[in-house]
Amino acid sequence: MLRILSAPALLATLLAGAAFAQVAPVDDGSGNFDASVAAFAGQTEAPEVTSGVTFDEEVISGTLAHPWGLAILPEDAGYIVTERGGTLRHITRDGTMGPEINGVPDVRAIRQGGLLDVALAADFADSRAIYLTYSAREGLAASATALARATLSEDHTALTNVEELWRQTPASAIPAHFGSRVLVDDEGFVFATTGDRFTPENRELAQDPASATYGATIMLQPDHHPATLDFVDGALPGVLTYGHRNIQGLAIQPESQLVWALEHGPAGGDELNVIEPGGNYGWPRVSYGVNYNGSDVGDGEQAHAPDFIEPRYYWDPSIAPSDLIFYEGEMFPDWQGDILLGALAGQSLVRLDIDGTSVIAEERFRTGQGRVRDVDVDANGAILILIDDDPGALIRLTPAAE
């Protein structure tokens, strides 16, 4: 289950940043926040490294329509992929795509909304249960991030026993910033993320967890009830952290069992965070970016501490990060424990060299070759990425033959 980062451990990682080599960072242009000053060494612009790795690329499927989420089925049974328009697909390892899977919840597929993430239950081998996040219809024009559980048929053609477990409150007519990554740990606890629903009025609710579940991480117990938490006074059931803008990446670090999150900033200020129960991550009071019109976020304060949780890393200019995974596999042995993440605006696969909770180097691959919406690692160690486009693609990356 979730591990809380202790103060001594956090201090040690901050001090470790002082030893970073003076190597130039990735050259990705000028930042949006000219006066930005990192809170500690290594919090941004880590040294660029070149591992020398090149990929052989295999397009497993190149006919997907804005794919968003990916789940790997056990026993070489292939993959489950969501398409934002509302379709759930089964794809075999050789790329054969089955018909639309029946029984998917109704979604409001407008702009950033639709059918979003998918994850297998911890006991999938026995239960065939999966989790879906999506923008659920509410009223004539509104929608809300929702989380449902369903049973996938043995032949991968239908969902049964579909049950909505949780829904964001309040609903909003703004079809943007749904968050919507879902993560299941080995004990069956379920984590889901929400966004701030974009507008200046809506985003203020990211600082009000007692009345809204905007800009939050949510935790459900294995019995699927919102976890009863005492970390945030007066918060709505299930609220684990708040003060986020739009979390679209969530993963558990194998070595530490810490939950890490990737969050979209405005213009600049994308964040990589370690989730600390009860933590307030500062949005929209502080940011390492600026509003799209160039104005200050909040009072223009960038440093988060001591009132808010500092990100472990941030990007300016924005790369629009999507999902992340901690690499564990045999194909890329030098990358054990590193973060692989997708970039939408950056159109890249990004590797972060991780030491504890510090980013010590950054490397980018496939820049300009499509918006990487999801990243995963197959059972054999191959890297899987989803390209968010129409047509979009599911691609398998393996080490290039010498």
Side-chain angles (χ1 to χ4, degrees), residues 65-321:
H66 291 295
W68 210 98
L70 168 68
I72 301 171
L73 295 169
E75 299 179 355
D76 289 334
Y79 316 102
I80 297 294
V81 175
T82 63
E83 294 177 308
R84 197 175 68 225
T87 303
L88 189 64
R89 300 282 190 183
H90 172 245
I91 303 173
T92 64
R93 293 186 63 81
D94 67 3
T96 301
M97 184 183 297
E100 294 183 16
I101 297 175
N102 295 321
V104 175
D106 186 29
V107 305
R108 177 155 272 149
I110 302 175
R111 287 179 57 193
Q112 296 177 10
L115 184 60
L116 302 172
D117 205 15
V118 58
L120 305 185
D123 63 350
F124 176 83
D126 297 319
S127 69
R128 304 285 301 176
I130 66 170
Y131 296 92
L132 296 168
T133 58
Y134 51 96
S135 55
R137 295 178 181 273
E138 195 158 324
L140 293 177
S143 58
T145 301
L147 169 68
R149 185 177 188 268
T151 303
L152 177 66
S153 64
E154 293 281 352
D155 63 0
H156 312 108
T157 62
L159 298 182
T160 57
N161 305 316
V162 180
E163 178 187 7
E164 184 178 297
L165 304 177
W166 181 88
R167 182 179 291 210
Q168 179 186 48
T169 186
S172 172
I174 304 301
H177 289 198
F178 292 92
S180 215
R181 197 60 66 181
V182 60
L183 173 71
V184 185
D185 75 7
D186 291 340
E187 297 178 23
F189 287 86
V190 183
F191 303 87
T193 72
T194 70
D196 68 352
R197 303 310 297 272
F198 188 70
T199 67
E201 297 78 17
N202 280 345
R203 72 188 194 183
E204 287 298 320
L205 294 176
Q207 286 292 320
D208 187 11
S211 65
T213 48
Y214 282 20
T217 60
I218 306 299
M219 185 168 75
L220 273 61
Q221 300 172 147
D223 64 5
H224 301 129
H225 290 93
T228 302
L229 305 168
D230 58 4
F231 299 119
V232 184
D233 291 341
L236 293 170
V239 174
L240 183 66
T241 64
Y242 64 107
H244 302 281
R245 186 171 181 268
N246 190 22
I247 297 177
Q248 292 200 3
L250 210 57
I252 296 175
Q253 186 177 28
E255 181 179 356
S256 68
Q257 291 301 295
L258 293 170
V259 176
W260 293 56
L262 274 174
E263 176 176 340
H264 284 225
D270 297 336
E271 296 183 3
L272 173 66
N273 284 300
V274 172
I275 295 300
E276 300 184 37
N280 182 349
Y281 288 75
W283 180 259
R285 301 287 179 264
V286 294
S287 176
Y288 286 99
V290 296
N291 292 312
Y292 292 131
N293 63 7
S295 64
D296 289 338
V297 172
D299 293 330
E301 182 181 352
Q302 50 189 308
H304 294 22
D307 298 320
F308 310 108
I309 305 296
E310 284 284 355
R312 302 304 311 136
Y313 196 69
Y314 70 85
W315 289 267
D316 182 21
S318 174
I319 63 169

Side-chain angles (χ1 to χ4, degrees), residues 24 47 55 77 119 139 234 251 268 277 381 398-399:
F55 298 123
T398 56

Side-chain angles (χ1 to χ4, degrees), residues 278-370:
N280 182 349
Y281 288 75
W283 180 259
R285 301 287 179 264
V286 294
S287 176
Y288 286 99
V290 296
N291 292 312
Y292 292 131
N293 63 7
S295 64
D296 289 338
V297 172
D299 293 330
E301 182 181 352
Q302 50 189 308
H304 294 22
D307 298 320
F308 310 108
I309 305 296
E310 284 284 355
R312 302 304 311 136
Y313 196 69
Y314 70 85
W315 289 267
D316 182 21
S318 174
I319 63 169
S322 55
D323 201 15
L324 75 154
I325 194 76
F326 286 88
Y327 185 80
E328 290 185 293
E330 298 179 356
M331 288 194 179
F332 303 92
D334 292 339
W335 292 1
Q336 297 296 315
D338 289 351
I339 286 176
L340 299 176
L341 64 98
L344 300 169
Q347 296 193 35
S348 301
L349 174 67
V350 181
R351 180 178 73 90
L352 299 179
D353 192 345
I354 300 296
D355 181 8
T357 57
S358 294
V359 176
I360 62 174
E362 180 173 352
E363 184 174 20
R364 299 191 188 178
F365 300 92
R366 305 187 77 259
T367 299
Q369 298 184 53

